[in-house]
Amino acid sequence: MSDPVKTDVLIVGAGPVGLFAVFELGLLDIKAHLVDILDKVGGQCAELYPEKPIYDIPGIPVCSAQGLIDALMQQIKPFNPQFHLGEMVEGIERTGHPGFRVTTDGGRVFDAKVIAVAAGGGSFQPKRPPIPGIEAYETKSVYYEVRKMEAFRGKKILIVGGGDSALDWTLNLAPIASHLTLLHRRQDFRAAPDSVNKMTALVGEGKIDFVLGQVTGLEGAGGQLNAVNVKRNDGSTFHIACDAMLPFFGLTMKLGPVANWGLNLDKELIPVNTADFETSEPGIFAIGDINTYPGKLKLILSGFHEAALMAQKAHRYVYPDKKLTFQYTTSSTSLQKKLGVG
Ligand SMILES: Cc1cc2nc3c(=O)[nH]c(=O)nc-3n(C[C@H](O)[C@H](O)[C@H](O)COP(=O)(O)OP(=O)(O)OC[C@H]3O[C@@H](n4cnc5c(N)ncnc54)[C@H](O)[C@@H]3O)c2cc1C
């Protein structure tokens, strides 16, 4: 376990709402660290619909979901937020009034005065393909993510799927695999056209195989795959020899460890009061899609409003002796100085 990282606020989740919380906290001189399970910031916007247009962000007639995340990252830069990506917040324990110790599955420890849970729909988890007995192979020779590419060097790899993850990993792992096959049930892909073109070029050069069909069974022993059984669309079957299979069938969202933090829950959401978005536990706030209250709308703009009010109350925990004076960024020279524009 590492030495505790000390921070004013620990934000659980680096989706759009967690990111904007950094801005609202920063204006009040409150420092934040953010933890996210994903290996990138942006939550649902970056993971589920990066190229889709969003039309209901106030003052921005249209932007892509990834464009919004990029703009938020630019906006919070003056506050130098610290990101801990690829880690899941597992435990939260009270150490004082205020004060919490937060632990992640990566062994990182934080001591925070305030916690802002911006965990959206919870943790993204890979969808398991409906293949009998697949559980016995998971983490031994069936993987839903690539944590270390080197682990796949020299292997006969089978990648299953037709989205961005399947295509990206096909392109990245092809140079280090002893042999790589991409299997998809149809000829069209949901991935970026450029990736599809690059994959097709590799097939043309004989560097990888592309096969149409679906996995119906696994062959191996003790969790180690030797081959998979594949059914073609015309009903005929064949085998593909492989020692690692990577199925990329998309992600679902599960509440995950949020359920174990001693907070009141209502149908997998965290009830909050609408004055400051504090939960049943003083010093722990819930903002964005993860919270519930009468009239809640799961919209990014609602989460932005919630982040602003959360920051005002967080200030009382972080600076109990300081009076907070409300100021506009347009007219306050001290706020402009913090933003690096004054
Ligand atoms: C297809 C689609 C289109 C949409 N279109 C719009 C639109 O046009 N306009 C609009 O306003 N909204 C839209 N939404 C909804 C919008 O994306 C959500 O309201 C918004 O993403 C919520 O932001 P958030 O930061 O609360 O949560 P999320 O974006 O869900 O981010 C939460 C983050 O928390 C992380 N996390 C969860 N648990 C933990 C944990 N224990 N430890 C560490 N990290 C954790 C997750 O990995 C995730 O990255 C759309 C949603 C979808 C799916």
Side-chain angles (χ1 to χ4, degrees):
M1 207 177 257
S2 54
D3 284 343
V5 175
K6 291 198 188 315
T7 178
D8 294 333
V9 178
L10 191 279
I11 301 175
V12 184
V17 176
L19 295 179
F20 191 64
V22 171
F23 184 83
E24 291 295 332
L25 291 164
L27 289 180
L28 308 185
D29 289 325
I30 302 174
K31 300 268 172 256
H33 281 244
L34 301 94
V35 180
D36 203 297
I37 302 164
L38 299 176
D39 59 4
K40 56 176 181 274
V41 302
Q44 294 174 51
C45 293
E47 187 64 36
L48 300 182
Y49 61 107
E51 292 183 0
K52 280 205 165 86
I54 303 184
Y55 300 99
D56 56 358
I57 302 299
I60 303 176
V62 62
C63 66
S64 70
Q66 186 60 50
L68 174 67
I69 298 305
D70 294 344
L72 283 166
M73 288 298 280
Q74 182 69 23
Q75 191 171 21
I76 64 178
K77 217 171 171 183
F79 303 113
N80 192 25
Q82 302 297 305
F83 292 96
H84 307 272
L85 301 176
E87 290 196 41
M88 176 162 73
V89 170
E90 278 191 332
I92 295 183
E93 154 197 353
R94 184 178 284 283
T95 51
H97 295 273
F100 299 92
R101 177 151 286 194
V102 178
T103 46
T104 73
D105 62 348
R108 209 178 291 273
V109 184
F110 298 89
D111 282 338
K113 291 178 190 145
V114 166
I115 294 174
V117 183
S123 43
F124 290 96
Q125 303 203 346
K127 286 187 192 156
R128 173 182 280 154
I131 303 169
I134 191 167
E135 295 89 334
Y137 294 91
E138 286 170 354
T139 71
K140 296 184 186 118
S141 55
V142 169
Y143 307 93
Y144 299 107
E145 62 185 350
V146 177
R147 287 221 163 176
K148 283 207 176 99
M149 275 178 55
E150 270 309 301
F152 294 90
R153 183 173 291 279
K155 296 216 162 156
K156 286 193 284 275
I157 302 173
L158 173 67
I159 294 184
V160 191
D164 281 312
S165 298
L167 270 286
D168 286 351
W169 285 118
T170 296
L171 300 178
N172 281 300
L173 293 174
I176 62 167
S178 72
H179 185 262
L180 190 144
T181 307
L182 173 64
L183 176 73
H184 184 39
R185 63 198 154 93
R186 30 174 213 274
Q187 196 73 50
D188 0 304
F189 295 89
R190 283 168 288 107
D194 180 53
S195 308
V196 178
N197 291 341
K198 286 184 177 145
M199 181 277 291
T200 313
L202 288 178
V203 174
E205 292 161 21
K207 293 192 172 144
I208 63 167
D209 289 332
F210 171 60
V211 176
L212 281 171
Q214 292 183 59
V215 177
T216 53
L218 306 176
E219 290 177 17
Q224 180 52 59
L225 270 183
N226 302 325
V228 300
N229 306 324
V230 176
K231 191 164 120 191
R232 292 191 188 91
N233 293 347
D234 65 6
S236 60
T237 57
F238 65 104
H239 289 238
I240 297 177
C242 62
D243 33 41
M245 177 170 91
L246 292 150
F248 293 109
F249 282 38
L251 299 165
T252 55
M253 291 176 92
K254 297 231 168 76
L255 187 60
V258 176
N260 310 326
W261 297 341
L263 305 173
N264 284 349
L265 290 178
D266 177 7
K267 298 193 193 82
E268 306 225 313
L269 296 167
I270 306 175
V272 285
N273 74 62
T274 50
D276 48 30
F277 301 94
E278 200 161 21
T279 66
S280 54
E281 198 56 49
I284 304 185
F285 297 80
I287 51 176
D289 277 14
I290 192 75
N291 74 15
T292 181
Y293 52 84
K296 165 77 181 182
L297 288 177
K298 284 193 183 183
L299 283 175
I300 294 165
L301 69 87
S302 315
F304 287 174
H305 159 80
E306 294 159 15
L309 269 65
M310 174 278 292
Q312 299 283 314
K313 178 75 183 279
H315 186 272
R316 283 203 229 159
Y317 290 110
V318 177
Y319 298 113
D321 304 325
K322 273 196 198 167
K323 193 170 167 289
L324 186 57
T325 313
F326 177 74
Q327 300 179 86
Y328 291 123
T329 52
T330 39
S331 41
S332 158
T333 46
S334 84
L335 291 185
Q336 288 165 5
K337 212 167 149 201
K338 290 175 201 177
L339 292 168
V341 293

